[in-house]
Amino acid sequence: MTSDRCEVLFIEEKGQRSKVYDFLLLEADPQIQQWLARSFSRAVGDTAGAKRVTYADALWGTLQKLTEYLEGRVPVPRAAGEISAKDIKEFFLTLPMGSRKHLVERMRTIFREDHELSVEARNAVLHGRLPVYESKVQPYSNAEHQELMTAVRHDIRVARDRIYEGRELLNRYRRGGLGVAHRLNNREKTGRALDFIDRTGDLPRRVLPSSVNRSGDYPGWVSTIGGARRLFAMLTLTPREVAAFCLQLVDLTAENFGTVAKWPAVHFRPDGTSAVRHWRWWTR
């Protein structure tokens, strides 16, 4: 920290994303800016619980609200020691009821290790009952949870069986077991389209004499065997089935849905990588 620079660099736990938080952007006295930067740095440091940029953003947003409130006080606090317990309590009362509990919790996270506040102000942050309100989002009952997971497992089994059948049809085509190409031989056409998808990640397209092919310029026979949606689904998961897998893994691991959705996964690709042995275990 210097007189012309007051920043905190946050790097996610997995190192995938980072962000710089510039405390000079906060409308506050330089001493307040530097104090908030020190507290924020402890709250998002290596030993803290902040793992994602989104959480660091939430803490940053809380500090923005706090500085906006402090700048409206008379007199305006110029250092952490000038902030009173009354300031803290009245700041909490200005927060919207729907988000007050979360914002108070973030304040406690930020200032838990802070010793620059007065004892009274620090106690006003860290102690006392958290605001209570009834959330509109209620947890599933045991019966609802069981019903949801039954539907999820059904979707996963349907996807497993369909993709197994699609892969078997593709293998038969490559062995020459679907007969010769003919306008009435739809199974051979299907195998041919699946082979093209598996090798290139796309469907066969018409070669047009002018410009670049437009999306959807498939030969007419592709439509007669079900079109892109049916053919791709014979080898890959649909968005709904991807969601079902994520929900199953959320239930098994207790991780957040967003965390599971970002996990790397082996999948069918034009280079021949196969996922059957990897996701089969989850569907037994």
Side-chain angles (χ1 to χ4, degrees), residues 68-136:
E68 289 172 4
Y69 172 78
L70 293 177
E71 285 302 296
R73 303 294 291 164
V74 179
V76 177
R78 301 301 181 189
E82 297 180 13
I83 300 173
S84 67
K86 181 181 177 182
D87 291 332
I88 298 297
K89 292 175 181 177
E90 291 185 357
F91 168 62
F92 287 164
L93 292 176
T94 66
L95 300 174
M97 280 298 297
S99 58
R100 186 178 297 175
K101 180 175 183 291
H102 297 299
L103 290 167
V104 172
E105 288 174 339
R106 292 168 194 159
M107 286 278 289
R108 292 182 176 184
T109 297
I110 296 167
F111 298 115
R112 183 171 292 115
E113 303 299 326
D114 177 83
H115 295 284
E116 298 180 60
L117 283 168
S118 67
V119 174
E120 294 79 11
R122 188 168 183 271
N123 287 339
V125 173
L126 301 180
H127 301 298
R129 296 180 62 180
L130 288 170
V132 177
Y133 65 93
E134 184 176 349
S135 172
K136 294 181 180 180

Side-chain angles (χ1 to χ4, degrees), residues 25-92:
L25 298 177
L26 299 178
E27 295 184 4
D29 187 90
Q31 291 188 61
I32 294 288
Q33 292 173 341
Q34 293 175 13
W35 162 61
L36 293 177
R38 288 190 291 271
S39 297
F40 181 81
S41 180
R42 286 190 294 268
V44 300
D46 294 339
T47 60
K51 299 180 181 181
R52 293 179 176 273
V53 165
T54 51
Y55 183 68
D57 282 344
L59 298 182
W60 170 255
T62 302
L63 292 182
Q64 288 178 310
K65 292 180 182 296
L66 176 62
T67 54
E68 289 172 4
Y69 172 78
L70 293 177
E71 285 302 296
R73 303 294 291 164
V74 179
V76 177
R78 301 301 181 189
E82 297 180 13
I83 300 173
S84 67
K86 181 181 177 182
D87 291 332
I88 298 297
K89 292 175 181 177
E90 291 185 357
F91 168 62
F92 287 164

Side-chain angles (χ1 to χ4, degrees), residues 156-170:
I156 291 174
R157 286 193 294 269
V158 168
R160 174 199 61 191
D161 295 342
R162 185 190 68 247
I163 293 175
Y164 280 168
E165 291 175 1
R167 298 299 299 184
E168 178 58 29
L169 184 66
L170 173 59

Side-chain angles (χ1 to χ4, degrees), residues 222-241:
V222 170
S223 298
T224 65
I225 56 175
R229 179 173 296 183
R230 172 180 179 269
L231 292 168
F232 275 100
M234 293 178 72
L235 297 181
T236 62
L237 298 172
T238 66
R240 172 175 173 170
E241 291 159 354

Side-chain angles (χ1 to χ4, degrees), residues 170 173-174 189-202 235:
L170 173 59
Y173 169 80
R174 288 174 173 172
K189 293 178 183 177
T190 301
R192 192 192 326 161
L194 294 180
D195 178 65
F196 197 88
I197 291 172
D198 195 54
R199 288 185 293 104
T200 69
D202 197 3
L235 297 181

Side-chain angles (χ1 to χ4, degrees), residues 137-149 247:
V137 179
Q138 297 297 318
Y140 289 114
S141 66
N142 289 336
E144 290 170 335
H145 174 265
Q146 187 61 41
E147 183 178 356
L148 173 64
M149 297 316 299
L247 288 172

